[in-house]
Amino acid sequence: MKKRALVTGASRGIGAATARALAADGWEVNINYFQSEAQALALGRELGARVFRADVADAGQVQAMFDDMGPVELLVNNAGIAWGGLITDMTEAEWDRIFAVNVGGIFHCVKCALPHMIHIKHGIIINTSSVLMKAGGSCEAAYTATKGAVEGLTRSLARELGPSGIRVNAVAPGCIETDMLKSFTREELDATAEQAALGRNGGPEDVARVTALLASDACQFVTGAIVPADGGLIL
């Protein structure tokens, strides 16, 4: 029987690439999305995967998703949103929403996934952070702050859940050319690529391969790690 995985925010970009990489490694993948229904359903057909609509910021919706889906052995907390602009222009509602999705979403999914993992004394949780946590991001203060919370939560959960045989790690992408960066010009993206040691920006598959590796038996002694996938952008 295949081991079961849930990838949140998996309709496109890094999430979709991660779902494909895990399916290729033999996981039975479940796909979560909130807004991009057509893309999520298409990916579900491609992978033969079940698709669930849920706003991870809403505890009730997450619980309903798990009730329908059943237990998983791997949880990839990829769902996230960004907000760009001066913090003086940010509303309290926008601040609350980005934390609700990027941090609260992990809390809700972990709470639902843990009973089964603790029962079987095995499980893998992989969170999506960002290299902005180290570098800081002008006009991205709220997003960067959420990723700081994600990294702190990752390390703390690794300590807390290790005795139950549960590994918790995070992947920290660099400049990955997805829809999240659609506001950047080609010139801005190229300038960022020049700063990376490998001289290029990443694609979703570059991050997905790292996540799949962390989910594999090759990393069964790795927990509490924040693994960069940034091409040497931050060294």
Side-chain angles (χ1 to χ4, degrees):
M1 181 181 295
K2 288 185 176 181
K3 292 183 291 185
R4 306 179 73 232
L6 169 66
V7 183
T8 67
S11 60
R12 51 202 173 97
I14 292 172
T18 299
R20 291 188 177 99
L22 293 174
D25 282 352
W27 289 90
E28 177 188 324
V29 178
N30 293 274
I31 294 166
N32 158 262
Y33 78 98
F34 180 49
Q35 292 182 321
S36 302
E37 181 177 37
Q39 294 96 320
L41 293 175
L43 182 61
R45 290 191 295 269
E46 175 190 333
L47 300 180
R50 297 181 70 193
V51 178
F52 300 89
R53 183 182 188 275
D55 179 359
V56 296
D58 186 312
Q61 292 186 37
V62 172
Q63 184 65 63
M65 174 174 64
F66 272 84
D67 289 344
D68 188 8
M69 176 179 60
V72 297
E73 288 73 51
L74 168 62
L75 170 62
V76 180
N77 289 304
N78 173 74
I81 58 174
W83 190 94
L86 297 172
I87 197 164
T88 50
D89 294 333
M90 191 176 203
T91 67
E92 186 171 347
E94 289 167 335
W95 175 272
D96 290 345
R97 176 62 181 170
I98 195 170
F99 271 88
V101 174
N102 295 5
V103 184
I106 295 178
F107 170 69
H108 297 145
C109 290
V110 166
K111 287 268 287 186
C112 288
L114 277 182
H116 172 69
M117 292 182 178
I118 292 172
H119 176 71
I120 65 173
K121 297 295 182 181
H122 174 74
I124 305 164
I125 299 171
I126 303 173
N127 302 320
T128 301
S129 182
S130 169
V131 294
L132 286 180
M133 169 49 197
K134 285 188 175 181
S138 176
C139 295
E140 296 183 270
Y143 178 79
T144 303
T146 66
K147 296 309 181 180
V150 168
E151 293 195 8
L153 180 59
T154 297
R155 293 188 176 97
S156 294
L157 287 178
R159 287 281 189 188
E160 182 175 329
L161 301 176
S164 296
I166 300 167
R167 299 193 292 110
V168 187
N169 295 293
V171 179
C175 187
I176 309 299
E177 297 199 14
T178 66
D179 288 347
M180 189 173 279
L181 300 185
K182 62 186 178 182
S183 63
F184 287 65
T185 66
R186 185 70 256 169
E187 291 74 17
E188 289 171 332
L189 291 172
D190 289 344
T192 301
E194 291 176 0
Q195 298 175 40
L198 294 181
R200 69 175 179 89
N201 295 324
E205 295 77 12
D206 291 310
V207 182
R209 283 189 283 265
V210 177
T211 300
L213 177 63
L214 285 172
S216 73
D217 288 343
C219 289
Q220 59 185 328
F221 198 54
V222 178
T223 194
I226 313 297
V227 182
D230 67 348
L233 182 61
I234 305 297
L235 293 174

